[in-house]
Amino acid sequence: MEIDIFRPVFPLRFGVILCVSVFTSVSLRYFSALFLRVSALFLRVSVLSLQYMKSNKIIITIDGWSSCGKSTLARQLAKKLDYTYIDSGAMYRAITLYFLRNHVDWESSREVKQALKNIELEFIFNPISANSEIYLNGENVEFVIRDMVVAEKVSEVAAIKEVREFAVDQQRIMGRGKGIVMDGRDIGTTVFPHAELKIFMTADNAVRVERRFKELFEKNPNVSLEEVKNNLEMRDYIDSNREVSPLRQARSAIVLDNTNLTPEEQLKLALKWARDRIAEKAAK
Ligand code: DC
């Protein structure tokens, strides 16, 4: 009998070809989908980095003595530039409020560390007050942190190393996207030493006491001028003499003495500096 050598081979060949084609088409489908996904991801990353590189937004830091009007200027600047305003002092005040309410002994590093684990701070924009307000564990504490009870202790709490590390970490995260104006005591020196614009605010002591007194008196008519003066001097002393990140003028900071300036005049000056820096960045 003649052996048909093709007979068994043909289905085998056919089978092999079929398997190869099925495998190839399945892999092609799979790999093309994967390829498409990876390309889309690359494209997104490139667009985002291009946007970041091309963004002309800068970081503006405003440091200075207590009650110099830092927050007023920072808020107005942020509004004009369409930036985010962050009141770093509010973070230290909110932490102090938590410590007071929960009887945390801040002399004990163990208690401080444990307490910080239970603190969540957040800024949420309030369209009614047109202000970013601070929330402590979900509660709006923007108003209560301005009380004298908190003001009397905040400098002590803000001098604690663990507290500063906790706050500074969060402040740096907030500045990642640039486009922020942050005020405080160590923003230009420690938090954002490479900020494009650093302003250091100062004003005559008597003027600062008077301004602070007026502000507090509106909320609490029982407050005395003497009390306000003592609190201001004490905070300035502790803030500038503490071991960790004391209040200092950054070398590259522009000094803004507003003793004889109206809020409009100081805003005009600061806006010019900011626009100059933004233009410099755009030209690079
Ligand atoms: O700006 P303020 O008065 O709300 O700040 C409250 C306190 O917090 C003040 O005594 C100094 C401290 N503070 C600080 O140590 N570092 C900052 N960046 C901001 C405030």
Side-chain angles (χ1 to χ4, degrees):
M1 201 176 85
E2 205 179 314
I3 298 169
D4 182 356
I5 57 163
F6 292 103
R7 269 197 79 156
V9 173
F10 180 72
L12 190 68
R13 266 195 185 171
F14 180 75
V16 168
I17 291 170
L18 193 72
C19 282
V20 168
S21 347
V22 169
F23 179 76
T24 316
S25 83
V26 169
S27 346
L28 267 177
R29 267 185 153 196
Y30 177 76
F31 281 115
S32 56
L34 192 73
F35 179 74
L36 272 178
R37 277 198 186 169
V38 172
S39 320
L41 192 73
F42 265 110
L43 200 71
R44 252 190 104 188
V45 171
S46 325
V47 169
L48 280 178
S49 13
L50 257 177
Q51 274 177 353
Y52 181 74
M53 276 158 57
K54 282 190 81 73
S55 154
N56 297 325
K57 293 198 166 181
I58 62 168
I59 292 182
I60 302 173
T61 66
I62 304 184
D63 291 304
W65 304 99
S66 292
S67 302
C68 273
K70 297 185 296 295
S71 60
T72 307
L73 177 64
R75 198 173 288 122
Q76 291 173 334
L77 255 185
K79 197 169 170 212
K80 287 275 180 197
L81 298 169
D82 199 17
Y83 278 21
T84 305
Y85 163 57
I86 296 153
D87 172 2
S88 71
M91 298 171 77
Y92 293 102
R93 286 173 180 266
I95 296 169
T96 306
L97 178 68
Y98 181 92
F99 283 9
L100 288 170
R101 278 179 175 174
N102 294 280
H103 311 287
V104 175
D105 171 12
W106 55 79
E107 304 274 311
S108 151
S109 144
R110 190 186 52 80
E111 276 200 38
V112 167
K113 281 184 192 156
Q114 188 52 43
L116 289 173
K117 284 187 193 153
N118 301 323
I119 296 181
E120 208 174 288
L121 300 177
E122 205 182 351
F123 283 96
I124 299 179
F125 187 76
N126 178 349
I128 299 168
S129 63
N131 189 24
S132 284
E133 296 181 345
I134 192 158
Y135 284 69
L136 167 64
N137 295 335
E139 175 196 349
N140 185 331
V141 290
E142 183 65 32
F143 186 75
V144 68
I145 56 165
R146 313 286 161 194
D147 196 277
M148 273 304 262
V149 179
V150 175
E152 270 167 17
K153 297 293 173 197
V154 64
S155 284
E156 265 180 55
V157 171
I160 301 168
K161 186 171 148 272
E162 288 83 1
V163 169
R164 298 209 73 81
E165 283 168 359
F166 174 83
V168 169
D169 281 352
Q170 299 192 23
Q171 289 154 8
R172 288 193 177 137
I173 292 172
M174 294 173 193
R176 265 188 201 154
K178 302 236 169 190
I180 60 157
V181 184
M182 193 180 287
D183 76 327
R185 305 293 189 286
D186 61 338
I187 311 302
T189 49
T190 305
V191 185
F192 298 118
H194 303 296
E196 288 86 350
L197 175 60
K198 299 178 189 176
I199 299 174
F200 188 85
M201 285 181 74
T202 181
D204 192 80
N205 275 11
V207 172
R208 290 196 290 134
V209 172
E210 187 67 35
R211 284 181 191 156
R212 186 80 185 130
F213 174 70
K214 273 191 192 159
E215 200 181 299
L216 284 172
F217 189 79
E218 276 175 24
K219 294 176 194 162
N220 174 13
N222 295 324
V223 76
S224 72
L225 195 70
E226 193 59 21
E227 205 180 345
V228 173
K229 183 174 174 284
N230 290 342
N231 178 255
L232 217 79
E233 283 172 359
M234 179 200 70
R235 285 205 287 147
D236 283 349
Y237 180 81
I238 301 179
D239 294 343
S240 51
N241 287 286
R242 66 180 173 226
E243 239 170 74
V244 197
S245 303
L247 167 66
R248 293 272 182 278
Q249 179 191 327
R251 252 191 290 150
S252 52
I254 306 177
V255 177
L256 177 56
D257 182 338
N258 66 8
T259 309
N260 298 308
L261 293 180
T262 63
E264 293 74 28
E265 286 168 334
Q266 74 172 12
L267 176 64
K268 205 172 153 193
L269 263 177
L271 251 182
K272 187 186 171 324
W273 297 333
R275 289 190 171 132
D276 286 351
R277 295 295 159 89
I278 293 169
E280 277 169 28
K281 191 169 182 212
K284 274 186 190 164

